């Protein structure tokens, strides 16, 4: 246990403020590919019965028209968020016909770039901007990489916690600046310890050969249609997953020293031309290929395993929202879809992540220097590709440390925090969740990635057959559920209202798309 973490937790306990740790808000975003009965990515439009992908608050699309994204509001209890997520998927299944939702992060059989439909958001300027941005991603990185699915865990500390914590820290001054600094301290530690997430929850140790499209690979064959890595946890978070390589060429990398440093670094990237992307062109033969030819088209293009998030107002640029109103929550983006769970995530996982985020907040968190940044990148890649290798060594302060020893020490130091979060609950849900993770460190065969490979080997299945079988099981699970009539009516009303909102946005447009883009990027 770090000395500062121990001291802070003791001060919170002594002051009677520890109940403030128990009211954190948690929300989920889960991506799921719609798949045709034949097993390929669905080529059909986003179902009208689900509402407008542009304006629906809970059911939308990510990169592809076929990549559904389910979003929950924030809740205090994990079970509430999971129940909301369950309702959304239960509502979806009767409205996608014979199609089904893919159960894993890595996509199904792919038939090349052009077989992946880019998401469409209607004829409004706002809708066109979202589609053109996605076209740009396809030109820059390829469409195949964009249809990898994940789960995002959104987290915020109770508002009442911050003034109490500020007083205990002996800090004075602007509370919002203190909150921003606290969230960035959390984010830096989530990066330092981020390798733990793919180890514990990674569920993509194998991929369909079609994902690589014939490109050479060092990965061994699992069978005739599957590549894998024997000790991999999350290939999604590894070298073949979604990431920005351009920063190595341009020297631009987001800084997490402070909110100001972060927003300045991203603002620089979205305003600095890239010779590589200028070759793609912005408007070619009258059609937009990308929003601009800068290093980043918009802030969301910058890949990171964790992001500080503001609450946007209208069509506001995220960097401006952060500068004006600060960080409202933190988005942990490194979670694979858990193929063994119909929802893709479970309550035990959420309780552990809640404790982990608070632990990262309360630990000492100096700024990240150049050497440590390289160590962080190395550790994440190593854990993604070789996390279950008993010989794997990670880098910490220039030294090599076995992953399992470092992980065990982190989890052990979280124990008193989990006891605080348990409160008077006799089931000790947070301690139980922590112990499940400690068991995975002690026995790597209990991790989702190891379970996947073991089940594939036992059943003589490649990745496609494994993923399709579990997808069918989850489909049957959701089709067996029935929403209460009032909940069904509520979701139907929201779908209709979202379509009306899209129509209103389209009718309200008064400027050209070119003018709309210029005004968007000129926001100050």
């Amino acid at each position: 246990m770090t000395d500062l973490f121990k001291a802070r937790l003791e001060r919170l306990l002594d002051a009677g403020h520890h109940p403030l740790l128990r009211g954190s808000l948690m929300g989920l975003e889960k991506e799921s590919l719609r798949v045709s009965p034949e097993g390929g990515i669905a080529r059909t439009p986003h179902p009208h019965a689900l509402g407008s992908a542009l304006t629906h608050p809970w059911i939308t699309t990510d990169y592809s028209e076929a990549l559904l994204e389910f979003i929950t509001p924030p809740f205090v209890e994990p079970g509430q968020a999971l129940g909301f997520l369950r309702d959304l998927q239960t509502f979806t299944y009767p409205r996608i016909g014979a199609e089904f939702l893919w159960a894993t992060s890595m996509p199904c059989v792919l038939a090349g770039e052009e077989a992946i439909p880019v998401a469409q958001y209607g004829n409004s300027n706002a809708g066109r901007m979202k589609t053109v941005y996605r076209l740009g991603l396809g030109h820059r990185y390829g469409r195949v990489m964009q249809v990898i699915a994940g789960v995002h865990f959104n987290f915020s500390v109770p508002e009442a916690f911050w003034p109490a914590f500020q007083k205990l820290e002996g800090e004075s001054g602007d509370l919002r600046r203190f909150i921003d600094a606290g969230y960035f301290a959390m984010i830096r530690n989530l990066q330092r310890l981020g390798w733990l997430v793919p180890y514990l929850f990674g569920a993509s140790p194998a991929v369909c050969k079609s994902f690589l499209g014939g490109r050479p690979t060092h990965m061994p064959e699992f069978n005739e249609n599957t590549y894998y890595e024997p000790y991999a946890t999350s290939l999604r978070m590894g070298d073949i997953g979604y990431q920005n390589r351009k920063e190595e060429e341009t020297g631009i990398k987001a800084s997490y020293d402070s909110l100001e440093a972060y927003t300045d670094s991203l603002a620089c990237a979205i305003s600095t031309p890239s010779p590589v992307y200028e070759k793609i062109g912005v408007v070619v033969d009258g059609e937009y290929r990308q929003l601009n030819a800068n290093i980043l088209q918009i802030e969301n293009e910058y890949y990171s395993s964790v992001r500080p998030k503001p609450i946007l107002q209208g069509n506001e640029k995220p960097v401006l929202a952060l500068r004006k109103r600060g960080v409202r929550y933190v988005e942990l983006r490194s979670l694979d879809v858990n193929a063994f769970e119909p929802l893709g995530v479970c309550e035990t996982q959420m309780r552990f992540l809640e404790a982990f985020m608070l632990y990262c907040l309360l630990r000492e968190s100096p700024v990240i220097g150049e050497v440590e940044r390289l160590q962080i990148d190395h550790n994440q890649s190593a854990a993604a590709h070789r996390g279950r290798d008993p010989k794997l060594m990670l880098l910490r302060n220039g030294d090599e440390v076995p992953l399992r020893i470092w992980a065990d020490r982190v989890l052990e130091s979280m124990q008193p925090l989990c006891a605080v979060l348990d409160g008077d609950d006799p089931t000790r849900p947070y301690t139980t969740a922590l112990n499940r993770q400690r068991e995975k460190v002690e026995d790597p065969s209990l991790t989702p990635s190891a379970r996947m490979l073991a089940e594939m080997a036992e059943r003589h299945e490649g990745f496609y057959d494994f993923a399709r079988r579990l997808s069918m099981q989850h489909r049957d699970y959701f089709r067996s559920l029935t929403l209460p009539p009032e909940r069904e009516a509520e979701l139907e009303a929201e779908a209709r209202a979202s379509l009306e909102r899209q129509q209103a946005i389209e009718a309200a447009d008064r400027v050209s798309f070119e003018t709309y883009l210029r005004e968007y990027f000129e926001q100050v």
Side-chain angles (χ1 to χ4, degrees), residues 2-76:
T2 64
D3 291 339
L4 184 58
F5 168 76
K6 183 177 180 180
R8 282 173 166 168
L9 190 59
E10 287 177 351
R11 286 201 296 268
L12 286 165
L13 288 166
D14 291 344
H17 292 322
H18 53 285
L20 296 175
L21 292 170
R22 298 191 194 122
S24 298
L25 290 174
M26 292 161 280
L28 296 168
E29 302 171 33
K30 184 212 176 188
E31 298 157 348
S32 298
L33 265 179
R34 281 190 297 115
V35 176
S36 71
E38 295 74 34
I41 292 178
R43 303 296 299 275
T44 51
H46 182 66
H48 188 267
L50 295 180
S52 165
L54 178 67
T55 61
H56 200 300
W58 309 318
I59 303 175
T60 182
T61 52
D62 195 81
Y63 175 79
S64 173
E65 189 76 345
L67 187 56
L68 284 169
E69 183 171 8
F70 302 106
I71 303 168
T72 80
F75 294 99
V76 171

Side-chain angles (χ1 to χ4, degrees), residues 506-523:
E506 291 173 349
D509 274 347
R510 293 291 181 266
V511 300
S512 68
F513 184 55
E514 292 73 19
T515 300
Y516 178 86
L517 284 186
R518 186 182 73 250
E519 292 176 349
Y520 176 85
F521 287 112
E522 287 176 350
Q523 290 180 67

Side-chain angles (χ1 to χ4, degrees), residues 385-500:
H385 289 279
R386 298 189 295 116
R388 288 178 289 103
D389 185 344
K391 299 179 181 178
L392 177 61
M393 308 290 279
L394 301 181
L395 300 177
R396 184 179 65 189
N397 300 325
D399 297 325
E400 290 191 331
V401 183
L403 180 147
R404 292 174 68 177
I405 289 179
W406 192 357
D408 190 60
R409 288 176 180 169
V410 169
L411 299 182
E412 181 180 7
S413 64
M414 288 176 59
Q415 203 150 14
L417 174 60
C418 288
V420 169
L421 294 174
D422 285 335
D424 297 327
D425 190 332
T427 66
R428 302 171 70 227
Y430 292 92
T431 297
T432 300
L434 179 68
N435 289 339
R436 294 293 84 78
Q437 312 320 314
R438 297 190 76 173
E439 290 167 4
K440 293 179 191 174
V441 174
E442 179 67 26
D443 183 0
S445 71
L446 299 176
T447 60
S449 56
R451 290 173 58 200
M452 282 180 69
L453 292 180
E455 198 165 298
M456 288 164 60
E458 181 181 342
R459 290 176 165 266
H460 305 288
E461 291 176 325
F463 169 73
Y464 172 79
D465 291 321
F466 167 84
R468 185 181 177 104
R469 177 171 56 81
L470 287 181
S471 299
M472 294 295 96
Q473 290 178 11
H474 299 344
R475 178 201 63 182
D476 294 344
Y477 166 78
F478 285 113
R479 286 183 173 175
S480 73
L481 300 178
T482 303
L483 290 173
E486 63 276 11
R487 184 64 169 139
E488 181 97 15
E490 179 187 2
L491 291 173
E492 286 181 343
E494 185 56 54
R496 289 193 301 271
S498 70
L499 293 168
E500 292 169 1

Side-chain angles (χ1 to χ4, degrees), residues 255-412:
S255 169
Y256 296 90
D257 292 355
S258 65
L259 182 145
E260 292 77 13
Y262 178 78
T263 55
D264 286 350
S265 59
L266 285 189
C268 177
I270 61 177
S271 61
T272 302
S274 164
V276 175
Y277 301 142
E278 286 175 341
K279 293 177 183 176
I280 295 171
V282 176
V283 180
V284 179
D285 297 328
E287 297 290 332
Y288 273 86
R289 290 190 172 184
Q290 52 186 342
L291 292 174
N292 54 56
N294 296 334
I295 294 170
L296 299 177
Q297 298 174 89
I298 57 176
E299 296 94 324
N300 285 354
E301 187 174 342
Y302 186 79
Y303 177 79
S304 177
S305 60
V306 58
R307 283 179 181 166
K309 299 286 284 190
I311 302 298
L312 298 178
Q313 295 180 356
N315 199 29
E316 188 177 29
K317 290 167 67 175
V319 291
L320 293 183
L322 282 170
R323 287 170 176 168
K324 290 176 182 177
R325 297 182 299 281
V327 182
R328 291 296 298 274
Y329 64 99
V330 172
E331 178 187 54
L332 183 67
R333 301 163 50 81
S334 53
L335 298 166
D336 285 355
V337 178
N338 186 343
F340 295 104
E341 295 287 341
L343 297 176
V345 59
C346 69
E347 184 170 334
T348 298
Q349 182 177 357
M350 289 185 68
R351 291 196 185 277
F352 171 80
L353 290 171
E354 178 186 356
F356 184 56
M357 302 281 266
L358 289 170
Y359 174 72
C360 287
L361 171 65
L362 296 176
R363 276 176 55 110
E364 184 177 8
S365 184
V367 298
I368 296 171
E370 187 175 343
V371 172
E372 189 180 16
R373 168 55 55 199
L374 294 173
Q375 293 178 356
I376 287 171
D377 292 346
H378 166 83
N379 290 345
Q380 175 162 302
S381 178
H385 289 279
R386 298 189 295 116
R388 288 178 289 103
D389 185 344
K391 299 179 181 178
L392 177 61
M393 308 290 279
L394 301 181
L395 300 177
R396 184 179 65 189
N397 300 325
D399 297 325
E400 290 191 331
V401 183
L403 180 147
R404 292 174 68 177
I405 289 179
W406 192 357
D408 190 60
R409 288 176 180 169
V410 169
L411 299 182
E412 181 180 7

